[in-house]
Amino acid sequence: MMKKSSTKRILNLIAALGVVTLGFSGVAQAQFPDKPIQFISPFAAGGANDYLTRLMAQHMGPILKTTIVVENKSGANGIVGATFVAKAAPDGYTVLMGNSATQGTNPSLYPNTPYDAIKDFAPISMVGFVPLVMVVDPRLGINTVAELLAYAKKNPGKVAFSSSGIGSTGHLAGEAFKAASGIDMIHAPYKGDAPAIGDVAAGQIALSFVGVASATSLYKGGKVKVLGVASSRRSSSMPDVPTFAEAGYKIEVSQWYGLFARAGTPPATIEKMNAAAKVVLARPEIQEAIVKQGAEPEYSSAAQLGSFAQSEIERFGAIIKRLDIKVQ
């Protein structure tokens, strides 16, 4: 009887210690964050990725009751910054502002990318979209998509479109339009949206596919015309410009942005950051600030962002494979 009683007391003690341990674990997890968080923008300062990273960091910090420091780790179409986060500790203290390149096109464009866009990351929340638009040289006298098609048919093989580079969302939007409309256009890759649309404004190239944010100032200044928006709804910063769907072509290509932590980050930590992002993105002043940059604010659950990123990799991958797009 003594042995059974002793065994029972030991088992009860172990059980009690287990409860205590779990309790302390829950408390520790609930205390996140207890030090500054680092947000990584995988592109250089000054662009939409950098702006959205700093905006979210500035306003999520007070909600999480910590400081969020932003660092730009640019290079190789976002691969440098994304790899840095993919190799970080899975504790929620290193977060990537991922986008349609790092979590969309890169897996297909760069087969040897040193990170897995799905397996190495834990989605937190979508932040926003920057729809692609088609801009044309106003000197051509073209005012609608239909007029552009007529012009291209009269000038076969002579119409060129620019984009921010081979395999970029602008390139893919242009190729999608070519396939849907049946017109013949030559692709002219540039090193960024700014030079791509700059040559349209200068009359050096007929048209371009760039992000709304890159086109807004030139459009409002009358330097270029915008014929269509490659999204399911009209852009808030260009409400008078129709979507491609309104012109009869279902073309939806956007530069999108979302927050990702390292895979393995505790679910409670992800939930806490997602909740903070939700509060920030619901504020009218934040929505207004994002729209002024030519973007569309967009909150999502972590699961929704994960599913979306997977679908984008598959969608872009199919287009890149079909067109046999290769990065030199």
Side-chain angles (χ1 to χ4, degrees):
M1 292 297 294
M2 287 295 291
K3 289 184 178 180
K4 289 183 180 180
S5 178
S6 297
T7 301
K8 187 175 181 180
R9 283 199 299 272
I10 292 171
L11 290 174
N12 287 338
L13 179 60
I14 291 173
L17 286 172
V19 170
V20 171
T21 301
L22 288 173
F24 277 121
S25 176
V27 170
Q29 198 172 63
Q31 288 178 343
F32 172 87
D34 60 2
K35 62 181 181 180
I37 298 171
Q38 185 180 35
F39 273 15
I40 302 297
S41 174
F43 288 90
N49 204 108
D50 176 68
Y51 177 82
L52 292 175
T53 304
R54 294 181 185 280
L55 184 70
M56 295 303 290
Q58 177 186 349
H59 294 277
M60 285 177 65
I63 296 172
L64 293 170
K65 297 180 180 179
T66 190
T67 299
I68 300 181
V69 180
V70 174
E71 184 173 352
N72 297 88
K73 288 187 177 293
S74 60
N77 204 35
I79 291 176
V80 172
T83 301
F84 179 81
V85 177
K87 306 300 182 184
D91 54 13
Y93 287 99
T94 306
V95 175
L96 173 73
M97 181 62 82
N99 53 56
S100 47
T102 61
Q103 260 58 37
T105 60
N106 281 358
S108 296
L109 287 173
Y110 305 93
N112 298 318
T113 299
Y115 66 84
D116 187 302
I118 296 299
K119 293 180 181 179
D120 288 341
F121 297 92
I124 297 173
S125 172
M126 185 70 79
V127 172
F129 290 85
V130 177
L132 270 290
V133 291
M134 176 201 283
V135 300
V136 300
D137 178 0
R139 301 169 187 82
L140 297 177
I142 296 172
N143 299 299
T144 65
V145 171
E147 290 179 6
L148 173 65
L149 295 180
Y151 176 83
K153 289 176 181 178
K154 288 181 180 179
N155 299 275
K158 296 181 180 180
V159 178
F161 76 93
S162 64
S163 79
S164 61
I166 296 174
S168 66
T169 49
H171 182 195
L172 298 182
E175 295 293 349
F177 180 69
K178 281 175 59 178
S181 65
I183 65 172
D184 183 21
M185 294 193 300
I186 302 168
H187 177 228
Y190 283 65
K191 294 183 178 180
D193 273 1
I197 192 174
D199 268 7
V200 175
Q204 298 299 312
I205 194 163
L207 66 148
S208 184
F209 288 84
V210 297
V212 170
S214 299
T216 300
S217 61
L218 289 174
Y219 168 67
K220 291 182 177 179
K223 301 296 184 181
V224 298
K225 287 185 179 179
V226 180
L227 303 187
V229 182
S231 63
S232 59
R233 59 181 184 269
R234 293 193 178 197
S235 169
S236 299
S237 58
M238 297 181 181
D240 55 328
V241 177
T243 64
F244 279 106
E246 291 178 72
Y249 304 96
K250 189 177 181 181
I251 300 172
E252 296 183 15
V253 181
S254 296
Q255 299 164 341
W256 56 266
Y257 305 88
L259 295 170
F260 295 82
R262 173 76 166 89
T265 298
T269 297
I270 297 294
E271 290 173 11
K272 198 164 188 178
M273 286 193 287
N274 177 276
K278 184 176 184 178
V279 171
V280 171
L281 291 168
R283 292 173 177 170
E285 66 273 20
I286 300 300
Q287 294 178 359
E288 183 180 353
I290 292 175
V291 169
K292 281 185 177 179
Q293 293 296 313
E296 304 290 334
E298 183 81 18
Y299 161 78
S300 76
S301 68
Q304 287 171 332
L305 175 56
S307 296
F308 176 76
Q310 179 67 63
S311 68
E312 285 289 272
I313 289 172
E314 294 170 359
R315 183 167 77 101
F316 285 136
I319 295 173
I320 291 167
K321 183 178 180 180
R322 175 170 57 82
L323 298 174
D324 194 28
I325 297 173
K326 298 184 185 300
V327 178
Q328 301 299 323

